[in-house]
Amino acid sequence: MGAAASRKKPPVVIDDADDNALFNAAFTNKVLNACYLDTREIRQRLTPSQAKLRCDCGAYSARYGSLIFRGLYADEPAKPCQDRYGYVETDGCPWFLVLDGHGPNGHACAQFCLDALPRSFDEAQGSVEERLTQASVKTNRALHKSKVESRDSGTTAVSLLVKDGVLYCSNVGDSRCVLGRKEDNTIKAIALSNDQTLYREDERQRIEASGGRVLSIGQIEGSVPLDHVWKCELGDEIDSDGDPPRLWRKDAYEPGTAFSRSLGDFTAQELGCSSEPEVQKHVIDASDVCCVLATDGVWEFLTSQEVIDICVSCKTPKEACYKIVAESYKRWYEREERIDDIACCVLYFDGASSSDAVASPPPSRDAAPPPRLRRRGSIVAPAAVVEAPPS
């Protein structure tokens, strides 16, 4: 074989404005064959961002894109998408927001909070961290006072505000923000937020001190011991059991939330569920390559490192969004009886190159996937149980 014939073909860079090409590259036959939806139906469920978007990040700039997939629920075929994505500029600073509504009115709660958070931030005083905290708490109060029903509905909210070359991540709930950072010739996933679920011992203690009860469905049904110790480092591993610890009243099986912080959810907040966010900050430098904000439609079956590896394999942020959503879609259908709403936003920082980095090897797929489950979800009630939780 001649030298010319042995040359590798240059990678194909797809224009972020070409949604048709991006879709075809991500939703391959392997993905499409994983579920019964055809290409037309999938396309109808996707809401992409505009193309060629860019923002300033101090000494750096960033390209970014977003994509939302409306979930598939066999028993609720017309269920509206409850995920939301927003981009605003406050004081000239870019602010990315990703929200995941839940409950019967979650879509309205998420939209209300997406609209209200920037206004609340503009009215807040103090440091960036203090203003983000005030904005979350104030928006939560406004939601409860509004005409939007939020007693048993609400939303998570993860956001990334960029000011003077610093990333400020504010998080309420179990959506997530992850940074892709170059270390030792690889790009590693670095958490900018910590999932606020009852897997965390500090969150369980806070909930129990406020009068809530923490039990999984298995514990309620008697298949899991009451003294069971939960161990799942979300982000680094996947909750393969699909039966997370949940928040309940001591005398009734409600509200059954799997998160420990949120906006809305008045019933859960009476039991210690908090609207106060955890805020982390990170100074951007040349080692930072990308950043991903996404709802648990992504994180339910993909680790943080797997998502960053997808970003490394792509040339543009919107291409990464399509491939993240496509892989999440496939995994949901393989593991569950439904497909959750999926939303993600990807930033690529200019000035830091990932071309010479090596993605971490993916975990083995030899093992058969676990059986499809019905216990996942932000809010559930145990089936065929009417008595009060065990004391």
Side-chain angles (χ1 to χ4, degrees):
M1 183 179 290
S6 63
R7 290 175 184 170
K8 292 183 179 179
K9 293 182 179 180
V12 177
V13 180
I14 303 174
D15 188 343
D16 262 6
D18 191 345
D19 280 284
N20 185 60
L22 292 168
F23 178 92
N24 291 334
F27 285 85
T28 61
N29 287 336
K30 182 178 180 180
V31 175
L32 294 173
N33 291 338
C35 185
Y36 56 82
L37 291 182
D38 59 28
T39 56
R40 179 186 61 83
E41 292 173 307
I42 296 174
R43 289 177 189 272
Q44 289 177 342
R45 292 173 179 271
L46 291 172
T47 305
S49 64
Q50 298 176 354
K52 296 183 179 178
L53 301 175
R54 184 179 295 273
C55 66
D56 291 327
C57 301
Y60 297 87
S61 63
R63 293 165 291 141
Y64 60 93
S66 69
L67 188 65
I68 296 177
F69 172 84
R70 180 171 69 87
L72 178 64
Y73 298 80
D75 53 345
E76 297 179 85
K79 182 178 179 179
C81 181
Q82 296 187 316
D83 284 5
R84 294 291 186 274
Y85 161 77
Y87 170 84
V88 298
E89 289 191 2
T90 177
D91 300 329
C93 301
W95 192 12
F96 304 87
L97 303 99
V98 172
L99 297 87
D100 182 0
H102 47 255
N105 206 35
H107 55 289
C109 291
Q111 188 62 53
F112 179 95
C113 293
L114 179 61
D115 296 336
L117 278 166
R119 293 195 301 267
S120 298
F121 181 84
D122 289 340
E123 296 167 357
Q125 303 292 323
S127 66
V128 173
E129 296 98 316
E130 291 169 337
R131 293 174 68 189
L132 287 169
T133 299
Q134 293 171 35
S136 181
V137 174
K138 183 176 181 180
T139 296
N140 181 69
R141 288 199 300 264
L143 175 59
H144 289 318
K145 292 179 180 179
S146 74
K147 295 181 180 180
V148 178
E149 193 286 318
S150 60
R151 182 168 186 84
D152 294 307
S153 298
T155 183
T156 70
V158 63
S159 70
L160 189 74
L161 190 148
V162 189
K163 181 177 176 63
D164 298 329
V166 180
L167 305 177
Y168 295 89
C169 177
S170 172
N171 184 50
V172 176
D174 57 2
S175 294
R176 189 182 305 162
C177 179
V178 178
L179 181 70
R181 184 171 170 82
K182 188 173 180 180
E183 295 183 6
D184 301 326
N185 205 38
T186 64
I187 296 179
K188 295 184 179 180
I190 307 297
L192 290 185
S193 69
N194 294 317
D195 294 13
Q196 293 150 355
T197 73
L198 295 165
Y199 279 114
R200 285 173 47 177
E201 184 178 3
D202 59 337
E203 291 292 274
R204 291 200 302 272
Q205 291 175 346
R206 185 177 58 77
I207 289 292
E208 290 169 344
S210 300
R213 185 79 188 273
V214 179
L215 294 168
S216 67
I217 298 295
Q219 287 178 311
I220 292 173
E221 296 175 345
S223 60
V224 177
L226 291 177
D227 60 355
H228 175 73
V229 178
W230 292 284
K231 291 183 179 180
C232 183
E233 295 294 331
L234 295 175
D236 294 333
E237 57 184 312
I238 298 299
D239 173 17
S240 58
D241 181 59
D243 186 18
R246 297 179 179 274
L247 169 62
W248 311 96
R249 292 186 182 278
K250 290 186 176 180
D251 58 353
Y253 283 116
E254 59 177 34
T257 60
F259 46 81
S260 54
R261 304 193 192 203
S262 70
L263 303 177
D265 299 293
F266 184 81
T267 300
Q269 290 184 354
E270 288 183 315
L271 304 171
C273 186
S274 174
S275 63
E276 182 172 332
E278 293 178 313
V279 181
Q280 298 187 38
K281 67 179 183 178
H282 171 80
V283 179
I284 305 172
D285 63 32
S287 295
D288 298 326
V289 175
C290 59
C291 189
V292 180
L293 297 91
T295 61
D296 68 347
V298 169
W299 309 116
E300 192 74 46
F301 297 115
L302 286 170
T303 66
S304 297
Q305 188 62 56
E306 285 180 297
V307 170
I308 294 300
D309 289 349
I310 292 174
C311 293
V312 172
S313 72
C314 300
K315 297 300 181 182
T316 70
K318 200 169 173 185
E319 179 188 2
C321 287
Y322 268 93
K323 290 193 175 180
I324 290 169
V325 169
E327 184 62 25
S328 301
Y329 164 90
K330 182 173 75 73
R331 302 247 186 131
W332 270 96
Y333 189 74
E334 290 172 348
R335 306 286 186 90
E336 272 277 359
E337 295 182 342
R338 64 185 176 96
I339 300 174
D340 197 8
D341 297 332
I342 303 168
C344 70
C345 169
V346 174
L347 289 77
Y348 279 14
F349 298 109
D350 291 334
S353 174
S354 64
S355 60
D356 58 346
V358 180
S360 299
S364 171
R365 301 286 174 225
D366 294 337
R372 294 181 181 177
L373 302 167
R374 298 183 61 90
R375 289 175 170 175
R376 296 182 192 273
S378 296
I379 304 176
V380 302
V385 180
V386 294
E387 70 271 14
S391 58

